[in-house]
């Protein structure tokens, strides 16, 4: 019973710390000082240090459609869509 109270207290303390510090329980797409990029013609992604250009074969996500957390609206969207070599958003063929 004592162990149960300790675990419950730890969970409550962690939740309170997240609320007080503004931290999210969601996993960020990229770490601090980085931004996400999308592979051209595919659903792959990577993180690039702020101030650097995307590597060859990658591009920035279109403005307003950048995933911020794993599983968020845009992260889910980009699993079935990509940007082609002309910068157009296109659906990825099934199994692609």
């Amino acid at each position: 019973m004592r162990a149960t109270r300790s675990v419950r207290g730890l969970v409550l303390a962690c939740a309170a710390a997240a609320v007080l510090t503004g931290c999210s329980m969601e996993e960020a797409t990229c770490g601090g000082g980085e931004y996400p990029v999308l592979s051209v013609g595919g659903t792959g992604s990577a993180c690039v240090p702020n101030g650097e250009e995307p590597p060859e074969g990658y591009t920035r996500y279109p403005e307003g459609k950048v995933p911020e957390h794993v599983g968020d609206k845009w992260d889910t969207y980009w699993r079935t869509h990509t940007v082609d070599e002309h910068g157009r958003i296109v659906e990825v063929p099934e199994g692609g």
Side-chain angles (χ1 to χ4, degrees):
M1 182 132 164
R2 184 174 215 173
T4 303
R5 281 192 291 211
S6 295
V7 170
R8 192 176 334 154
L10 179 61
V11 169
L12 290 173
C14 289
V19 170
L20 293 174
T21 62
C23 294
S24 173
M25 299 297 245
E26 298 172 308
E27 183 179 349
T29 301
C30 290
E34 299 177 317
Y35 69 94
V37 293
L38 174 68
S39 67
V40 175
T43 58
S45 64
C47 295
V48 176
N50 291 340
E52 290 186 19
E53 289 299 312
E56 188 172 334
Y58 287 83
T59 189
R60 294 175 187 267
Y61 284 92
E63 189 173 336
K65 298 181 179 182
V66 180
E68 295 182 15
H69 296 97
V70 174
D72 72 12
K73 171 184 173 180
W74 293 116
D75 180 57
T76 303
Y77 177 83
W78 292 111
R79 292 177 194 172
T80 57
H81 293 79
T82 192
V83 175
D84 69 12
E85 63 276 1
H86 303 289
R88 296 181 297 223
I89 296 173
V90 295
E91 275 193 68
V92 176
E94 196 161 324

